[in-house]
Amino acid sequence: MTESLSNAVVMVEGLHCAGCIRKIESAFEKDPDIETARVNFSNHRLYLVWNGPQEKVETYIKRVQNLGFGAYPFSPDEEVELKKAQQKRILLALAVAGFAMGNVMLISIALWITDIDTMGEGTRQLLQWLSALIALPAIFFSGQLFFQSAYKALSHSKTNMDVPISVALILTTAISLWGMFNHQEHIYFDSALMLMFFLLVGRYLDMRAQGQATQAATDILGHLNETYTGINSNGDKTEYRVSDLLPGMEIVIEAGRRFPVDGIVVKGESDVDAALITGETLPVNIEKGTNLYAGTINLSAPVIFKVQKIADESVTEKIKTLLGQATKNKSTYMRIADRAAQIYTPLVHSLALITFVFWLFYMKADWQTSLMIAVSVLIITCPCALGLAVPVVHVLAIGKLLKKGVILKSGDALERLQKITNIVFDKTGVLTTGQAQLMDDYDQDIFKKAASLALHSHHPLSKALVKAYDGETAEMTNIIEYPGKGIEGQYKGRVVRLGRRGWIAPDIENDNASVQTWFDDGHVQTPFYFSDSLRNNASETIKYFKSQNIEVSLLTGDKKDQANKIATQSNINDVHAEKLPEDKFDFIENFSKQNKKSLMVGDGLNDAAALAAADVSMAPSSAVDLTQDTADIVFMGDSLEPVKATYKIARHSQKMVKQNFTLAVVYNVIAIPFAMGGFVTPVIAAIAMSASSLIVIANSFRLNRVQL
């Protein structure tokens, strides 16, 4: 008999590369009870589904711990505090290592450029002791991040990337101490500190760049503790939390508040902003019998609303679920540096061991000479250049993109962006400004009176009408606002009104699909038409992507006629309108099934799941908080130009990364034979290692010359 399925999310500490992910997932592959075991590198979470009782999660957590990783049940609050503590710890270790490296390098320059006859034995020993006094506490303190991780892995008969790093640090320090106590000419504390500093730089940048999409998923239902006024059958009022609402309950939704769950209007009339859910460009009128989704905002007047679904079944909860699915799907992404380091690091340190054995037993050298040559191999093949290949380019790309108003949030977003085959735009707020703009020209006298009356209304269309008018206003008196209908006033003793067609001119037939508000000056009824205009450079941006053989699609919850109109203006042929959040999610998921790579650009709550499902995602700074949290990249301003600029930077930065790796490999191919042959002293090895890092940095700075 098959037991019921249980599931859990486990936080994992100590993930550094693709090998870590495979090590954990493979530990569950042969377990017959495990249905799913997937590690998400971006948020360091292990998603488990198994046949059996929930209590069995403790056994699985212990299994991960036995592999040498820290593991504990996921808790959003604890995760936030842990990440802050880890980031603070790495930053402090980096500061100490940098301070020590700078000072020891200054001392080392004197030791390198001056011989013993000029300096004197006493001065040399003093400088060496000063180097040791600075270096040893720094190595002990900052190196704990590597030592503790390596010890944890070795104590469980496992290895990880921190094991060879720790070996290099300890050996270099030990050789330096031995050389100092035995009055040797050279010591290598500077090499150990430099190695540690550059590795910590990469570790810190990697932590800062970790994905944040799942934090958005945990925040999406933060409104569940809000309270709403409920009305029972006797007319009595009671306060309910959103999480306590049940189907059939009637609650009051005041103007300015969100509808907390899915349901239906049973009394009242108002206007709502449904853009976050449906993508509707402008306010929509609602009345008795109108069905609404959670997340819709009431704009004009209070309404009585009957709950049809509990919070866990509402559209926002569906989006949260989709976010979780999409985030787990991203576990296959590995950073280039980690993939390369997985092969590179064990190979290099195996060569150092082979070198030591070769010189000690085959060449019959003493152990000090053999160990010095082995350490030279470790130093000259130090993964500094490899470790800098991605972070330096990443930092330069961030700086260049910031100047274009682009904030890069995910560490591997550029790597994923340069591989896209499809780009999908939402309409409202992305291709368009998301704000109503007045169309056409109007009689100035009527325009003046309509704008003067609109001054007294907070309705979005009234604000757009006022914004479009730049003349003198007329005096309006006896202002009365009718919720869900419009506003009324008096001009020179005559009643004038501005509002819905059904209220102003119910007998006039009007099939124009454009959004409109009507004005009645007592003599004639005049419609004012509004539209949503394209962002600056929208057409040029789409043209550029097409020139790169990237397919462009428009995916929106708005009406077909509005979507087709914007698509025509922006030269997009593939249009998908009137789509709900789950439809958008499925649309993006289909690209993965077809082995295509997609970029999704969206701004609304209804885009959040699709953004998470896409291979890479972007959102404007005007987007809702959830969407900005979910997106890999956020851009500012009213132009769509940053989307094109980011793609250009992605292409060039990945070229730089590949060039950096090539330079690092070529350097090691040349340097390793010389070091293994005993032709390189640790001093020369340290200089060569530093030079390789500088070459990588210099090549990375070529990114600044890219024209956007």
Side-chain angles (χ1 to χ4, degrees), residues 380-417:
I380 205 167
T381 56
C382 161
C384 290
L386 182 68
L388 288 170
V390 175
V392 173
V393 175
H394 184 76
V395 169
L396 292 173
I398 288 175
K400 199 168 182 67
L401 288 173
L402 279 174
K403 294 178 181 178
K404 297 293 289 186
V406 178
I407 300 172
L408 193 65
K409 294 173 52 190
S410 178
D412 59 352
L414 295 181
E415 178 187 350
R416 289 180 273 133
L417 181 59

Side-chain angles (χ1 to χ4, degrees), residues 236-539:
D236 297 329
K237 296 183 178 180
T238 308
E239 294 295 317
Y240 294 103
R241 290 192 308 170
V242 176
S243 54
D244 296 331
L245 294 176
L246 298 173
M249 287 184 174
E250 293 186 359
I251 57 176
V252 179
I253 309 295
E254 294 88 353
R257 300 201 68 184
R258 295 182 186 274
F259 290 83
V261 293
D262 296 354
I264 186 171
V265 177
V266 294
K267 184 178 180 181
E269 188 175 5
S270 183
D271 294 301
V272 298
D273 179 357
L276 297 183
I277 299 297
T278 66
E280 288 282 356
T281 306
L282 294 166
V284 178
N285 179 254
I286 61 169
E287 55 190 12
K288 182 179 179 180
T290 303
N291 289 293
L292 294 172
Y293 293 117
T296 304
I297 302 173
N298 188 17
L299 295 176
S300 304
V303 297
I304 307 299
F305 181 74
K306 178 181 285 189
V307 176
Q308 291 184 321
K309 293 182 179 179
I310 61 174
D312 287 346
E313 297 176 353
S314 295
V315 167
T316 47
E317 178 62 25
K318 290 181 182 178
I319 295 173
K320 176 185 175 183
T321 302
L322 295 176
L323 275 171
Q325 294 175 6
T327 305
K328 287 187 283 186
N329 290 341
K330 285 188 177 180
S331 63
T332 55
Y333 291 122
M334 317 291 182
R335 287 178 175 78
I336 293 178
D338 291 317
R339 292 200 297 266
Q342 182 190 1
I343 300 172
Y344 172 88
T345 305
L347 175 63
V348 164
H349 291 85
S350 296
L351 289 175
L353 178 61
I354 291 171
T355 300
F356 175 75
V357 173
F358 173 80
W359 280 91
L360 183 64
F361 294 104
Y362 186 79
M363 300 299 293
K364 306 300 181 181
D366 57 63
W367 72 268
Q368 294 96 333
T369 301
S370 301
L371 190 57
M372 292 289 282
I373 295 173
V375 169
S376 295
V377 173
L378 279 175
I379 294 174
I380 205 167
T381 56
C382 161
C384 290
L386 182 68
L388 288 170
V390 175
V392 173
V393 175
H394 184 76
V395 169
L396 292 173
I398 288 175
K400 199 168 182 67
L401 288 173
L402 279 174
K403 294 178 181 178
K404 297 293 289 186
V406 178
I407 300 172
L408 193 65
K409 294 173 52 190
S410 178
D412 59 352
L414 295 181
E415 178 187 350
R416 289 180 273 133
L417 181 59
Q418 58 96 23
K419 298 176 181 178
I420 64 168
T421 58
N422 295 74
I423 180 169
V424 181
F425 290 99
D426 178 41
K427 184 183 78 67
T428 306
V430 176
L431 277 178
T432 67
T433 61
Q435 299 177 350
Q437 291 189 335
L438 189 65
M439 300 168 57
D440 305 328
D441 296 322
Y442 300 91
D443 179 87
Q444 283 301 302
D445 182 58
I446 292 177
F447 196 3
K448 176 181 178 180
K449 290 182 286 188
S452 301
L453 185 58
L455 273 172
H456 302 278
S457 172
H458 295 290
H459 194 281
L461 294 185
S462 295
K463 291 181 179 180
L465 186 62
V466 173
K467 184 178 180 180
Y469 180 71
D470 58 2
E472 295 183 358
T473 58
E475 183 179 354
M476 293 286 172
T477 59
N478 298 329
I479 304 297
I480 303 174
E481 187 161 8
Y482 296 91
K485 296 180 179 180
I487 188 169
E488 181 181 276
Q490 287 190 354
Y491 173 69
K492 294 183 178 181
R494 186 168 66 249
V495 174
V496 293
R497 297 192 300 174
L498 179 72
R500 296 177 57 216
R501 182 188 64 82
W503 184 55
I504 300 292
D507 298 328
I508 297 179
E509 294 292 334
N510 189 295
D511 296 326
N512 195 309
S514 298
V515 178
Q516 57 197 257
T517 189
W518 284 66
F519 177 68
D520 182 358
D521 68 349
H523 297 293
V524 63
Q525 292 81 35
T526 304
F528 285 85
Y529 295 107
F530 299 85
S531 68
D532 194 8
S533 61
L534 280 178
R535 277 182 179 264
N536 295 332
N537 300 106
S539 298

Side-chain angles (χ1 to χ4, degrees), residues 157-184:
S157 302
K158 305 292 181 180
T159 61
N160 61 20
M161 189 176 176
D162 289 330
V163 172
I165 291 173
S166 298
V167 170
L169 286 172
I170 292 171
L171 277 181
T172 307
T173 304
I175 289 293
S176 299
L177 285 171
W178 181 87
M180 184 178 69
F181 285 117
N182 288 276
H183 308 292
Q184 297 295 307

Side-chain angles (χ1 to χ4, degrees), residues 23-183:
K23 186 183 297 183
I24 294 173
E25 292 181 347
S26 62
F28 292 94
E29 285 179 355
K30 297 180 180 180
D31 191 325
D33 293 332
I34 294 292
E35 294 287 331
T36 301
R38 181 176 294 170
V39 178
N40 187 326
F41 183 76
S42 68
N43 57 28
H44 289 199
R45 296 180 193 172
L46 166 64
Y47 297 87
L48 290 171
V49 179
W50 68 91
N51 288 295
Q54 187 67 32
E55 293 75 16
K56 203 171 181 179
V57 67
E58 296 297 332
T59 303
Y60 296 138
I61 290 177
K62 187 67 175 177
R63 185 180 299 179
V64 176
Q65 292 172 342
N66 289 337
L67 295 173
F69 300 94
Y72 50 89
F74 167 70
S75 168
D77 294 336
E78 290 181 9
E79 181 192 27
V80 171
E81 293 303 318
L82 178 66
K83 285 186 176 180
K84 287 181 179 178
Q86 289 176 336
Q87 197 172 100
K88 184 177 180 181
R89 183 185 179 194
I90 291 179
L91 191 59
L92 181 59
L94 179 61
V96 171
F99 172 81
M101 182 186 70
N103 284 278
V104 172
M105 285 295 292
L106 290 174
I107 296 173
S108 298
I109 290 173
L111 291 170
W112 290 348
I113 66 176
T114 308
D115 57 33
I116 187 66
D117 295 330
T118 304
M119 178 182 292
E121 179 65 25
T123 302
R124 186 180 69 183
Q125 288 190 22
L126 175 63
L127 292 178
Q128 288 181 347
W129 273 97
L130 286 174
S131 296
L133 288 173
I134 296 171
L136 290 176
I139 292 171
F140 177 79
F141 177 79
S142 299
Q144 289 299 311
L145 290 167
F146 306 108
F147 301 150
Q148 290 176 359
S149 174
Y151 174 77
K152 187 180 293 185
L154 291 173
S155 65
H156 292 93
S157 302
K158 305 292 181 180
T159 61
N160 61 20
M161 189 176 176
D162 289 330
V163 172
I165 291 173
S166 298
V167 170
L169 286 172
I170 292 171
L171 277 181
T172 307
T173 304
I175 289 293
S176 299
L177 285 171
W178 181 87
M180 184 178 69
F181 285 117
N182 288 276
H183 308 292

